[in-house]
Amino acid sequence: MSHTTREKQQLLARVRRIRGQVDAIERALDTEAGCEKVMHLLASTRAAMSGLMCEVIEGHVRTHLVDEERYPGALNHDGAEELLAVVRTYLK
Amino acid sequence: MSHTTREKQQLLARVRRIRGQVDAIERALDTEAGCEKVMHLLASTRAAMSGLMCEVIEGHVRTHLVDEERYPGALNHDGAEELLAVVRTYLK
Amino acid sequence: MSHTTREKQQLLARVRRIRGQVDAIERALDTEAGCEKVMHLLASTRAAMSGLMCEVIEGHVRTHLVDEERYPGALNHDGAEELLAVVRTYLK
Amino acid sequence: MSHTTREKQQLLARVRRIRGQVDAIERALDTEAGCEKVMHLLASTRAAMSGLMCEVIEGHVRTHLVDEERYPGALNHDGAEELLAVVRTYLK
């Protein structure tokens, strides 16, 4: 999945932050915080999950659509970036 | 936030399931599962979060837009249900 | 649907702009413009439609959830604004 | 943009249906149809636009990420299908 050790650490850090946000939602529900607070926490957690999804999709597009060892240079980078720009717009 | 003890327990159960899903994403990243698996886990976790958001919004609309003690019967239930139907469509 | 003549004119102006955007998509497809151009036009048209939906939902929440003539002051305006803030976030 | 004449005709047919839906929204606003009707028309038009976006993205992924004449066989079809499955889930 992750393509380098550094990328793996970044993805793990992101998912751990998301777990912290989910814990905050649980606390808000448990302590009967207002709807407004719960809705804000849910919205920001969802944004963080979309951000993680974008990062995973980017890695997938850049690494798994073409086997760079067998077909060096075959991936059209401009075309891949256009695709990712659209995906980012829709995942917001 | 939750309007009855039973509702509170249901919301807490939902958020705990979501945390379980986030843990599964972390394990998938940590054990270097394939992109496909990670993307599926992310998509289903996001759907679960949207479901929780819908439930919170429903409670908010039914309970907090009109103070039923002061203004009994003032909330137009058909109008509220139309609104919630649209919100559910967009949160999918 | 629209609650004043002015609101009606604004909504009609919005939907006519959207039709102009849809016409631009048709022309782009017909003249075989690049994918990138078509994807951008689609993304901006979708954003315009989300904006129109937000406006319609706002009118609905402010006008149709409580019959203000029968129950003056019954709508909790803070609660309605919180709801609309969340809806706007999700419709982006 | 479209990669064959047949594909082009299909895309044009889709965008023309969407224009018909936008016209129906305009008529609903102009004749002061109920909010519910307008919200339904908006939701189904948005779904049709997402469908068109999916089709455009699919063509882009299958045709423009790799120049098949220069690098025949270089596109990993399984990887491309996994990506498109995720995109479809998020565009609904």
Side-chain angles (χ1 to χ4, degrees):
Chain A
M1 162 61 230
S2 48
H3 314 104
T4 61
T5 307
R6 192 161 157 270
E7 249 182 74
K8 180 177 168 176
Q9 293 311 317
Q10 286 181 336
L11 291 170
L12 281 169
R14 265 183 187 268
V15 79
R16 283 166 192 156
R17 269 200 301 277
I18 291 169
R19 192 175 42 225
Q21 292 174 289
V22 173
D23 289 342
I25 297 169
E26 184 181 356
R27 277 194 304 278
L29 290 169
D30 204 25
T31 58
E32 299 177 21
C35 270
E36 188 178 11
K37 176 148 192 200
V38 175
M39 292 191 295
H40 277 280
L41 289 169
L42 278 163
S44 60
T45 309
R46 182 184 189 254
M49 290 208 47
S50 295
L52 176 55
M53 181 58 116
C54 275
E55 202 170 318
V56 171
I57 289 175
E58 286 181 22
H60 182 71
V61 167
R62 293 199 178 112
T63 320
H64 293 151
L65 294 188
V66 167
D67 180 340
E68 281 286 324
E69 301 210 353
R70 268 184 78 190
Y71 303 100
L75 182 67
N76 168 1
H77 288 282
D78 287 350
E81 290 310 313
E82 285 167 22
L83 171 68
L84 293 174
V86 171
V87 167
R88 265 179 236 118
T89 304
Y90 275 75
L91 259 79
K92 254 180 213 158
Chain B
M1 161 61 230
S2 48
H3 314 104
T4 62
T5 307
R6 190 159 158 273
E7 248 181 75
K8 181 176 168 176
Q9 293 312 317
Q10 286 181 337
L11 292 170
L12 282 169
R14 263 182 188 270
V15 78
R16 284 167 190 153
R17 268 200 300 279
I18 290 169
R19 193 177 39 227
Q21 292 175 289
V22 173
D23 289 342
I25 297 168
E26 185 181 357
R27 276 195 304 277
L29 290 169
D30 204 24
T31 59
E32 299 177 21
C35 270
E36 186 178 14
K37 176 149 192 198
V38 174
M39 292 192 293
H40 276 279
L41 289 169
L42 277 163
S44 60
T45 309
R46 184 185 188 253
M49 290 209 46
S50 295
L52 176 55
M53 181 56 118
C54 275
E55 204 171 316
V56 171
I57 290 176
E58 286 181 22
H60 182 70
V61 167
R62 294 198 178 114
T63 319
H64 293 151
L65 294 189
V66 167
D67 180 339
E68 280 287 323
E69 300 211 353
R70 268 183 78 187
Y71 303 100
L75 182 67
N76 169 2
H77 287 283
D78 288 351
E81 291 309 315
E82 285 167 23
L83 171 68
L84 293 174
V86 171
V87 168
R88 265 180 236 117
T89 304
Y90 275 74
L91 259 78
K92 254 181 213 157
Chain C
M1 163 59 230
S2 50
H3 313 103
T4 62
T5 307
R6 194 163 153 269
E7 250 182 73
K8 180 176 167 176
Q9 293 312 317
Q10 285 180 336
L11 292 170
L12 281 170
R14 265 182 186 269
V15 78
R16 284 167 190 153
R17 269 200 300 278
I18 290 169
R19 191 176 39 225
Q21 291 175 290
V22 173
D23 289 342
I25 297 168
E26 184 181 356
R27 275 194 305 277
L29 290 170
D30 203 26
T31 58
E32 298 177 22
C35 270
E36 189 179 11
K37 175 148 193 197
V38 175
M39 293 191 294
H40 277 278
L41 290 169
L42 277 162
S44 60
T45 309
R46 183 184 188 252
M49 289 207 48
S50 296
L52 176 56
M53 181 58 117
C54 274
E55 203 170 317
V56 171
I57 289 176
E58 287 181 23
H60 183 70
V61 167
R62 295 198 177 112
T63 319
H64 294 150
L65 294 189
V66 167
D67 180 339
E68 280 287 323
E69 300 211 352
R70 269 183 76 190
Y71 303 100
L75 183 67
N76 170 0
H77 288 282
D78 287 351
E81 291 310 314
E82 286 167 23
L83 171 68
L84 292 175
V86 171
V87 168
R88 264 179 237 118
T89 305
Y90 275 74
L91 257 80
K92 254 178 214 160
Chain D
M1 163 60 229
S2 50
H3 313 104
T4 61
T5 307
R6 192 162 155 270
E7 249 182 75
K8 179 176 167 176
Q9 294 311 317
Q10 285 180 337
L11 292 170
L12 281 170
R14 264 182 187 270
V15 79
R16 284 166 190 155
R17 269 199 300 278
I18 290 169
R19 192 176 40 226
Q21 291 174 289
V22 173
D23 289 341
I25 297 168
E26 185 181 356
R27 276 193 304 276
L29 290 169
D30 203 26
T31 58
E32 297 176 23
C35 270
E36 189 178 11
K37 175 147 193 200
V38 174
M39 293 192 294
H40 276 279
L41 289 170
L42 277 163
S44 60
T45 308
R46 184 184 188 253
M49 288 207 49
S50 295
L52 176 55
M53 181 58 117
C54 274
E55 203 170 318
V56 171
I57 290 176
E58 287 181 23
H60 182 70
V61 167
R62 294 198 177 112
T63 319
H64 294 150
L65 294 188
V66 167
D67 179 339
E68 280 287 322
E69 301 210 352
R70 269 184 76 189
Y71 303 98
L75 182 67
N76 169 1
H77 288 283
D78 287 350
E81 291 309 315
E82 286 167 22
L83 171 69
L84 293 174
V86 171
V87 168
R88 266 179 236 118
T89 304
Y90 275 75
L91 258 78
K92 253 178 213 159

